Amino acid sequence: MEVSNTKQQHQSASISLTKPVRCIVKLGGAAITCKNELETINEENLKTVSSQLRQSMTTGSNSGEVLGMDWSKQPGESEISSTLSDFEDWPVVDSSPFIVVHGAGSFGHFQASKSGVHKGGLYQPLVKAGFVATRISVTKLNLEIVRALAREGIPSIGMSPFSCGWSTCERNIASADLSAVAKAIESGLVPVLHGDAVLDDLLDCTILSGDVIISHLAAHLKPEYVVFLTDVSGVYDRPPSDPNAVLLREIAVANDGSWSIEKPTFQNKNKQVETSVAAHDTTGGMLTKISEAAAIAKLGIDVYIVKAATSHALKAFSGELKGNLPDDWLGTAIRFSSN
């Protein structure tokens, strides 16, 4: 494993892993939380997503048999429930390296937007308080996601970008030490990162979105494919709440980073996608997601945007979408095209 030590080299050094990363998964905030209910997790979606990830990660094991790794006290229980003896006879399971990154949803965005953390100015009392409050909120969500994955037998480990030394300069990543992520993967653990409040060289502080984190991880760790989970079926030509919205099944990314709609076919080949951003969303919404996905696809890495907790998401996780997309698959594939 080759990991650089200097701040500047962290940006450009390639990290060589003995077992390459198979997939980076983005759990969209809208997919795993109830975005209109402050700090409320969508428990049903998170449980289904965690189960589907376990099925996709493990090979040659009984996908219906689970030994949980969350040994903390559960709500409503007087004792800590553990199955230590069961692990003694449990075979070593061969699992594919995955990385999970999640958004904030109803965690963090409220605190960040009300205090202006994303605009910088950490010397201001309100911004400083908001910075602290934002991190409390997003790390709270990170812990709950790690616990949900652990209950499915996934050896997940939470990693906050701020605590791992990630920082920005005018909102662009300036320093991102990937050594901890690489060591976790090499140790058979699943890193779980998240959008975070970080320090910024010029603004003092800002918000580093999960979508930007994924783009950086993909550039340096070169996964086979990347999956973005959302609360809708994929990318539409206009906000999906519009009854005339059309799902874009395939988007092609050119050498210069520009992208065009391949399927379905529109009369206007240069048709643009109309997007909207929630007032409390400090990370750019779907437009940021498409831009980062296009940057990843330009590297030759397929990207799939799909609705969480569906059979379509499971197919994306499992790597079944290489080549021609199945006619019955609902989602958006973003791929590099040299034509």
Side-chain angles (χ1 to χ4, degrees):
M1 179 169 56
E2 301 169 3
V3 182
S4 149
N5 290 319
T6 68
K7 178 176 178 180
Q8 186 173 1
Q9 288 175 323
H10 283 323
Q11 280 295 93
S12 57
S14 60
I15 295 178
S16 181
L17 299 169
T18 56
K19 196 171 185 181
V21 175
R22 181 177 167 200
C23 178
I24 300 178
V25 179
K26 165 69 188 300
L27 310 183
I32 54 170
T33 73
C34 304
K35 288 205 79 169
N36 296 321
E37 298 179 39
L38 184 63
E39 295 192 349
T40 303
I41 294 172
N42 186 327
E43 301 285 358
E44 184 178 353
N45 267 13
L46 182 55
K47 181 175 177 58
T48 301
V49 168
S50 299
S51 175
Q52 290 181 338
L53 280 171
R54 171 180 52 79
Q55 295 173 54
S56 304
M57 289 179 188
T58 56
T59 56
S61 66
N62 182 354
S63 62
E65 198 169 0
V66 177
L67 285 184
M69 298 180 184
D70 180 8
W71 298 348
S72 51
K73 186 175 178 293
Q74 305 295 325
E77 296 182 5
S78 59
E79 297 180 355
I80 293 176
S81 174
S82 64
T83 51
L84 299 180
S85 59
D86 293 342
F87 281 90
E88 294 176 3
D89 301 320
W90 192 252
V92 176
V93 177
D94 184 28
S95 60
S96 303
F98 273 57
I99 299 174
V100 175
V101 181
H102 66 82
S106 61
F107 292 73
H109 282 303
F110 170 81
Q111 291 86 346
S113 64
K114 289 297 183 182
S115 60
V117 170
H118 56 297
K119 299 177 182 178
L122 194 58
Y123 59 90
Q124 301 174 56
L126 176 61
V127 175
K128 185 169 290 184
F131 188 92
V132 172
T134 299
R135 296 214 65 255
I136 289 173
S137 187
V138 295
T139 53
K140 177 182 177 181
L141 175 61
N142 181 251
L143 175 59
E144 291 307 312
I145 290 174
V146 167
R147 292 183 67 186
L149 295 170
R151 286 193 289 270
E152 285 292 327
I154 297 172
S156 49
I157 188 80
M159 291 187 171
S160 291
F162 177 88
S163 302
C164 290
W166 291 50
S167 65
T168 58
C169 182
E170 288 189 292
R171 301 188 179 91
N172 296 311
I173 292 177
S175 177
D177 185 353
L178 299 181
S179 60
V181 174
K183 288 175 182 176
I185 294 169
E186 294 283 64
S187 300
L189 300 170
V190 177
V192 183
L193 293 85
H194 59 87
D196 204 0
V198 297
L199 300 180
D200 187 282
D201 291 344
L202 290 181
L203 302 174
D204 293 334
C205 64
T206 193
I207 298 297
L208 178 61
S209 79
D211 295 334
V212 173
I213 291 170
I214 280 200
S215 182
H216 188 81
L217 291 172
H220 293 274
L221 298 177
K222 302 294 192 297
E224 293 180 29
Y225 50 94
V226 171
V227 178
F228 286 82
L229 296 183
T230 71
D231 60 338
V232 294
S233 293
V235 179
Y236 288 79
D237 66 333
R238 65 198 72 184
S241 56
D242 188 319
N244 295 316
V246 176
L247 177 65
L248 309 181
R249 287 179 48 80
E250 196 161 351
I251 292 175
V253 179
N255 278 308
D256 61 1
S258 63
W259 51 274
S260 58
I261 301 166
E262 287 290 296
K263 296 178 183 179
T265 303
F266 290 93
Q267 286 186 337
N268 178 9
K269 286 290 288 182
N270 296 317
K271 180 177 175 59
Q272 297 297 305
V273 175
E274 302 171 23
T275 63
S276 60
V277 179
H280 62 272
D281 193 337
T282 59
T283 60
M286 182 59 80
L287 188 58
T288 298
K289 196 179 307 296
I290 298 171
S291 298
E292 297 300 336
I296 295 168
K298 187 182 174 184
L299 301 172
I301 301 167
D302 287 355
V303 178
Y304 307 106
I305 301 179
V306 62
K307 188 172 184 177
T310 63
S311 61
H312 310 291
L314 181 57
K315 284 184 177 180
F317 290 154
S318 302
E320 298 178 19
L321 302 177
K322 291 287 184 180
N324 293 327
L325 296 175
D327 291 337
D328 62 350
W329 184 73
L330 289 180
T332 301
I334 302 179
R335 293 168 166 165
F336 175 72
S337 174
S338 58
N339 297 332

